Amino acid sequence: MRQPLVAGNWKMNGSRASIKVLLDGLKSGVGSVKVAEVAVCAPAIYLPDVQAQLQGTAIAWGGQDLSTEASGAFTGEIAASMLLDFGCKYVIVGHSERREYHQESDLMVAGKFAAARAAGLIPILCVGETLEEREQGITEDVVARQLDAVIKLEGVAALADGVLAYEPVWAIGTGLTATPEQAQDVHAFLRTRVAGHDADVADGLRILYGGSMKPGNAAELLAKADIDGGLIGGASLKAEDFLGICTAANG
Ligand code: PEP
């Protein structure tokens, strides 16, 4: 039985003050989240604050990116060990905004997955197609290529140490959500692909949906057999909305 995970991706939003308000709201409401595991992925500079405020609570936290390298002359980069130093459990790798604006290749993303895993962080590997790719009918080719890069570098067993997130690029921050059927189709495709290598790994793999998930559409997405939680951008910035999604996983 896969425990759902609802993870917030704050992206480059917030301030020390607004994060305090948000986390106070999450802490006071998280008791009503009975089923899902809850996590927030914060801008790295705020991780000390997040750690101080969430230590000892039911809410986990993580980073939004990391370096492929362990340490050294990589100005501006953040190593897995540094995220661990501030108590991170998770780290997002291969978010479409990193792939698009920072030219992160499939191979680089696989390297980040490997670096996270080697350090004991749980990587949340994002895959997803653009609108153009969907319209060309190559959604499955795109997500397979992105997934296969990790399997090729690390072996399929590595996925047992991670989480997968299907995030159609056209649904991120746009207000457009994949229908539950569209999302389920891709999730099932991804699980079947992993099962082609290892059925047990596929069975245990949590596959999150991300793309304009909100309290109003979360329940029907989360009801699908292969949707094991959500990666939440905009709606993770308001405690009420984020908790609404987390409680939708209660069923
Ligand atoms: C995301 O950035 O991972 C995301 C899913 O964003 P949003 O929920 O705002 O579409």
Side-chain angles (χ1 to χ4, degrees):
M1 189 63 191
R2 299 182 292 267
Q3 185 190 17
L5 168 66
V6 181
N9 172 16
W10 294 349
K11 312 194 189 197
M12 196 173 70
N13 291 297
S15 62
R16 296 189 83 179
S18 73
I19 286 170
K20 167 101 179 55
V21 172
L22 175 55
L23 292 181
D24 282 348
L26 293 184
K27 285 191 285 186
S28 61
V30 74
S32 58
V33 181
K34 305 289 182 211
V35 175
E37 182 186 357
V38 179
V40 294
C41 294
I45 198 162
Y46 293 129
L47 285 171
D49 283 10
V50 171
Q51 180 182 34
Q53 288 168 68
L54 292 184
Q55 197 92 62
T57 73
I59 306 168
W61 60 96
Q64 299 176 3
D65 181 38
L66 82 168
S67 174
T68 54
E69 307 303 319
S71 66
F74 302 100
T75 302
E77 293 289 284
I78 293 179
S81 60
M82 298 172 183
L83 296 174
L84 280 173
D85 245 355
F86 289 94
C88 288
K89 179 172 180 182
Y90 292 99
V91 62
I92 298 170
V93 300
H95 191 281
S96 63
E97 288 150 17
R98 302 284 323 169
R99 292 180 189 264
E100 183 179 353
Y101 306 138
H102 300 272
Q103 287 77 46
E104 291 192 4
S105 65
D106 295 335
L107 186 60
M108 180 182 287
V109 171
K112 291 186 174 202
F113 187 102
R117 183 172 167 254
L121 288 163
I122 300 175
I124 301 175
L125 170 67
C126 299
V127 300
E129 82 289 3
T130 63
L131 184 57
E132 200 183 13
E133 289 163 340
R134 176 161 280 266
E135 285 172 351
Q136 284 170 16
I138 57 168
T139 295
E140 292 186 352
D141 299 327
V142 171
V143 296
R145 192 198 71 221
Q146 294 168 333
L147 173 66
D148 289 356
V150 171
I151 296 175
K152 188 165 173 221
L153 187 71
E154 284 281 271
V156 72
L159 292 175
D161 301 329
V163 173
L164 190 57
Y166 169 56
E167 297 210 307
V169 179
W170 48 272
I172 295 179
T174 58
L176 296 173
T177 313
T179 64
E181 292 70 30
Q182 282 174 321
Q184 166 60 24
D185 284 351
V186 180
H187 283 232
F189 169 78
L190 289 165
R191 197 178 307 284
T192 303
R193 191 159 186 97
V194 176
H197 297 271
D198 188 316
D200 289 340
V201 171
D203 198 41
L205 181 63
R206 293 188 290 183
I207 309 179
L208 315 183
Y209 169 78
S212 299
M213 200 191 257
K214 302 180 186 69
N217 61 23
E220 51 176 359
L221 285 158
L222 294 171
K224 291 292 180 191
D226 290 293
I227 302 184
D228 307 311
L231 184 56
I232 319 298
S236 70
L237 298 171
K238 276 180 64 185
E240 195 188 336
D241 289 350
F242 189 57
L243 289 168
I245 297 170
C246 297
T247 52
N250 289 344

